[in-house]
Amino acid sequence: MVRHITDEAAANEPSITTQTHSCDPSPAPHVYKVGYPPQRNLATEFTETLRETFFHDNPLRQYKGQPGLTRLMMGLQFLFPVVGWGRNYNFNKFKSDLIAGLTIASLCIPQDIGYSKLANLDPQYGLYSSFIPPLIYAAMGSSRDIAIGPVAVVSLLIGSLLQNEVDHVKNKEEYMRLAFTATFFAGITQAALGFLRLGFLIEFLSHAAIVGFMGGAAITIALQQLKYVLGIANFTRKTDIVSVMKSVWSSVHHGWNWQTIVIGTSFLAFLLLAKYIGKKNKKLFWVPAIAPIISVILATFFVYITRADKQGVQIVKFIKKGINPSSAHKIFFTGPFVLKGFKIGVVCGIVGLTEAVAIGRTFAAIKDYQLDGNKEMVALGTMNIVGSMASCYVTTGSFSRSAVNFMAGCKTPVSNVVMSLVVLLTLLVITPLFKYTPNAILGSIIISAVVSLVDYEAAILIWKVDKLDFIACMGAFFGVVFESVEIGLLIAVGISFAKILLQVTRPRTSLLGNLPGTTIYRNTSQYPEAKLVPGVVIVRVDSAIYFSNSNYVRERILRWLTDEEDKAKAAGLTKINFLIVEMSPVIDIDTSGIHSLEDLYKNLQKREIQLILSNPGSVVIEKLQASKLTEHIGSSNIFLAVSDAVRFCKTKSMQEP
């Protein structure tokens, strides 16, 4: 029921095309006026808002018109996607998944042992975390490419946060129990966000902040590995770069071990070379995938035959043999550690979700299939809840393993099952062989794994595109590097929210002019050839008008008006008699916004300037009508298009003496 001039439809299109219409001030026939949407009752309005907020993808549409048994099967398939793809599984897919699973297993085993050290846990806990959680995800996850297991950033984060509460050396048992408690609450957080369809909350951590946080965490992780690569026994527990470098250089004369340095640097060079080969030739993806396990085998053999451990080379010494023991009785459900575990779990759970969902969406886009973010959260949460009861710590999707899994040609989550079975075999049979594995090789593996997290190309692109985003990126980066992981995360979240607040409280407004030979009105800054209309100021508001920005919008419009009045007076031009506010981008308005428009109207009346509104949307015009503001302004002063409003102003100016 929106009515205005027939040839004005083109004026409201986002693309700009040359029109042959003239700006003749005479009224055109078939004038359409802004219509009002049909009235809706409170229940209908609330239901529609709720549906659009939480169920915008209409997840129940596929169940409509289906018989009961079919609905049951579809429900099972929704909760357990394996029910769907499992029916079409065949031997060819299994061959691809088997190769991919064996490939990522060769990568995950040495990484798991190293990442457990980042979390200040015994090596077997890293392996435990790559056994049970991948099996759960294979049944419940919807991504075909994600490889599940411990990751560097979350391992560092949980280790850092736990260490702030409990000393992992003096109170090892309490530290371990708190780790399981944090993992349990991380799973609860993830599953709850998915079940309640609140996944959009993780979007508040912007891409720029994530790039900076990940880069800073990668630098911090690499610096932490210097104690293993250089063979330093007494190393600081702080993670900031200043403390780490002080610890490194204070040990240069008596704390470094040359045999360890030879092992660490030589294998680090080998791992980086393997990664470079795989990057240059995608067909050789398996080279960087098997390089870590080859490095572990060679380094372990070298230490064993030379007994380098007698010369000060630190070794793993012992990895407990056997499958995951139950840890359900070790989770804190009462006492002071419950709240601490909850806080740590929420932080680690959200960071893990952010990483996993980003990875899943990346590969889903490449393979052209849909990924349900909320379903992913439920799957990730469930696997962490179960994992916390099976001696696992927080696991999520690993980018390095997922990339290898993808390039190895995985077809389904069965590759995770294959990897899990290889880890099981390792726990049952192979763990004693890691006794002489030097810590230096684990440090080298971690350094080579986190190098790719420093995405300098993305940082450069962010600088070119959005300087405010770059500040968020660098704030998160320097917060992690120079302070701590948790401070960096707080800075990342804080700057992301600050950016949202800045954009909400200080929306853009622009002065519009007429593109010669058309009825189109555009920003004069973007189109310098656009001509201002004598006696008329046209301002566009590029945001919803809420309590947080209503005063600013009113003041900014008045400033535009005052500036144009001064220019017109200085140039001896026609006095400004009309102010047109283009409201096409204004998607919503609240009571504060309406009061601001009312104040603007009263201010203009005192200055003998007519306020005119152009193209308010259905939600906006409905609220303006309910507040009676349309009666004050006059329905004859509300138009569908700027060109209609300008034609009206010109006609009225010609009629006045």
Side-chain angles (χ1 to χ4, degrees):
M1 321 240 266
V2 191
R3 299 179 172 83
H4 228 173
I5 311 181
T6 54
D7 67 347
E8 301 312 319
N12 293 317
E13 293 296 325
S15 59
I16 300 176
T17 55
T18 303
Q19 304 289 323
T20 57
H21 308 295
S22 66
C23 295
D24 185 359
S26 59
H30 309 297
V31 174
Y32 288 86
K33 300 297 292 183
V34 174
Y36 299 92
Q39 290 288 332
R40 296 177 298 170
N41 59 45
L42 180 62
T44 302
E45 187 175 354
F46 178 77
T47 302
E48 290 180 359
T49 302
L50 189 68
R51 184 188 301 119
E52 188 61 29
T53 302
F54 297 102
F55 303 98
H56 60 279
D57 54 346
N58 193 12
L60 300 179
R61 66 185 183 280
Q62 57 185 334
Y63 297 93
K64 292 180 180 178
Q66 300 292 340
L69 183 60
T70 304
R71 288 187 181 185
L72 177 62
M73 291 301 297
M74 292 173 69
L76 285 174
Q77 184 175 329
F78 179 81
L79 292 174
F80 302 98
V82 64
V83 175
W85 58 259
R87 287 179 292 183
N88 301 317
Y89 200 68
N90 54 47
F91 185 70
N92 288 330
K93 290 182 179 179
F94 175 71
K95 286 192 297 183
S96 300
D97 289 335
L98 178 64
I99 294 170
L102 292 174
T103 306
I104 58 175
S106 67
L107 177 63
C108 88
I109 292 170
Q111 281 187 350
D112 290 345
I113 297 172
Y115 291 159
S116 62
K117 289 183 174 292
L118 281 176
N120 300 318
L121 295 168
D122 291 335
Q124 64 268 20
Y125 292 104
L127 295 172
Y128 292 161
S129 301
S130 281
F131 171 43
I132 298 294
L135 296 176
I136 304 296
Y137 183 84
M140 298 187 67
S142 56
S143 173
R144 306 169 194 168
D145 305 282
I146 283 183
I148 297 298
V151 297
V153 174
V154 175
S155 298
L156 175 68
L157 183 61
I158 194 170
S160 176
L161 294 175
L162 290 173
Q163 183 62 34
N164 291 340
E165 304 295 341
V166 182
D167 190 290
H168 74 281
V169 176
K170 297 178 181 178
N171 301 294
K172 186 175 180 180
E173 182 64 23
E174 282 189 348
Y175 182 92
M176 187 171 60
R177 292 186 65 186
L178 188 58
F180 297 147
T181 305
T183 302
F184 175 79
F185 283 113
I188 291 291
T189 301
Q190 293 171 332
L193 287 174
F195 183 75
L196 298 175
R197 303 186 69 81
L198 297 174
F200 61 85
L201 293 178
I202 66 172
E203 306 294 343
F204 282 102
L205 198 59
S206 68
H207 170 69
I210 292 172
V211 169
F213 174 75
M214 290 295 186
I219 298 293
T220 300
I221 292 167
L223 290 173
Q224 289 290 304
Q225 302 316 301
L226 292 178
K227 62 184 174 184
Y228 300 125
V229 175
L230 301 177
I232 302 173
N234 298 316
F235 199 77
T236 180
R237 292 184 181 178
K238 296 181 179 179
T239 60
D240 64 283
I241 189 171
V242 176
S243 299
V244 170
M245 296 315 296
K246 280 183 179 178
S247 184
V248 169
W249 293 114
S250 63
S251 306
V252 67
H253 295 298
H254 58 275
W256 292 17
N257 181 274
W258 72 266
Q259 295 98 328
T260 302
I261 294 173
V262 170
I263 295 172
T265 55
S266 58
F267 280 104
L268 177 59
F270 168 70
L271 290 165
L272 293 175
L273 176 62
K275 181 168 281 192
Y276 176 79
I277 292 171
K279 187 176 181 180
K280 284 294 181 181
N281 189 343
K282 299 299 183 183
K283 293 181 179 180
L284 298 177
F285 68 88
W286 52 270
V287 174
I290 66 171
I293 196 68
I294 290 175
S295 300
V296 168
I297 294 170
L298 292 177
T300 303
F301 180 71
F302 173 77
V303 171
Y304 177 72
I305 62 172
T306 61
R307 294 316 304 265
D309 56 309
K310 302 293 185 182
Q311 306 299 318
V313 175
Q314 299 174 27
I315 59 175
V316 172
K317 293 182 180 178
F318 175 74
I319 299 179
K320 187 176 179 181
K321 190 177 178 181
I323 62 172
N324 308 33
S326 172
S327 58
H329 61 287
K330 295 183 178 181
I331 299 174
F332 289 111
F333 291 108
T334 58
F337 286 110
V338 175
L339 184 58
K340 293 176 181 178
F342 174 76
K343 291 178 180 177
I344 297 170
V346 169
V347 173
C348 293
I350 290 175
V351 172
L353 268 185
T354 303
E355 188 170 356
V357 172
I359 293 168
R361 285 175 177 169
T362 298
F363 291 112
I366 294 173
K367 286 191 174 181
D368 194 26
Y369 65 89
Q370 292 295 320
L371 188 75
D372 188 330
N374 290 298
K375 191 188 298 184
E376 282 294 285
M377 292 175 193
V378 173
L380 292 166
T382 304
M383 78 179 189
N384 276 314
I385 293 171
V386 175
S388 69
M389 301 178 185
S391 300
C392 305
Y393 73 96
V394 182
T395 53
T396 186
S398 165
F399 184 79
S400 58
R401 292 182 214 175
S402 299
V404 170
N405 196 30
F406 169 77
M407 289 186 289
C410 68
K411 301 298 182 184
T412 69
V414 169
S415 58
N416 276 290
V417 177
V418 174
M419 178 192 72
S420 178
L421 294 177
V422 174
V423 172
L424 172 63
L425 180 65
T426 303
L427 285 166
L428 292 175
V429 180
I430 306 175
T431 49
L433 300 179
F434 290 109
K435 178 180 179 180
Y436 290 99
T437 300
N439 289 336
I441 188 60
L442 300 178
S444 298
I445 289 171
I446 292 175
I447 292 173
S448 67
V450 300
V451 164
S452 58
L453 293 179
V454 184
D455 195 349
Y456 65 90
E457 291 179 348
I460 293 172
L461 181 62
I462 290 169
W463 164 258
K464 291 179 180 178
V465 173
D466 192 321
K467 302 300 186 288
L468 197 59
D469 262 357
F470 185 75
I471 293 174
C473 179
M474 290 297 100
F477 177 82
F478 287 119
V480 174
V481 171
F482 285 98
E483 191 57 40
S484 64
V485 177
E486 51 268 38
I487 293 298
L489 187 60
L490 284 174
I491 291 174
V493 174
I495 294 179
S496 296
F497 270 103
K499 183 183 178 184
I500 294 172
L501 289 175
L502 183 62
Q503 291 175 338
V504 169
T505 58
R506 293 294 183 269
R508 289 188 176 90
T509 59
S510 53
L511 188 68
L512 304 187
N514 175 242
L515 295 177
T518 75
T519 57
I520 298 172
Y521 291 79
R522 290 294 183 264
N523 188 344
T524 54
S525 296
Q526 185 179 1
Y527 299 93
E529 68 273 20
K531 303 296 183 182
L532 299 179
V533 180
V536 181
V537 173
I538 309 168
V539 179
R540 186 180 67 211
V541 180
D542 293 330
S543 168
I545 305 177
Y546 293 132
F547 66 93
S548 58
N549 63 22
S550 58
N551 287 327
Y552 171 80
V553 169
R554 184 189 72 248
E555 292 168 2
R556 191 67 186 88
I557 291 174
L558 288 173
R559 200 170 87 195
W560 279 117
L561 177 62
T562 302
D563 290 346
E564 293 306 309
E565 281 182 323
D566 291 343
K567 291 177 183 178
K569 186 176 182 181
L573 300 176
T574 308
K575 175 184 175 295
I576 304 297
N577 293 311
F578 302 95
L579 171 67
I580 301 173
V581 180
E582 156 68 314
M583 302 187 72
S584 297
V586 181
I587 58 172
D588 200 359
I589 191 170
D590 64 4
T591 52
S592 297
I594 292 172
H595 282 303
S596 287
L597 283 181
E598 189 174 0
D599 291 342
L600 176 64
Y601 172 72
K602 292 176 180 177
N603 184 293
L604 294 177
Q605 275 190 318
K606 294 175 183 177
R607 298 164 69 165
E608 297 182 349
I609 297 175
Q610 177 66 56
L611 174 63
I612 295 176
L613 303 182
S614 170
N615 196 26
S618 60
V619 173
V620 175
I621 195 65
E622 186 178 23
K623 291 183 178 181
L624 294 180
Q625 183 188 32
S627 67
K628 308 296 184 182
L629 186 58
T630 52
E631 295 179 9
H632 293 300
I633 297 174
S635 58
S636 60
N637 293 319
I638 303 176
F639 294 87
L640 183 63
V642 174
S643 55
D644 296 340
V646 170
R647 185 182 292 111
F648 169 80
C649 296
K650 289 183 177 181
T651 303
K652 192 167 184 180
S653 296
M654 293 175 64
Q655 293 172 351
E656 293 179 355

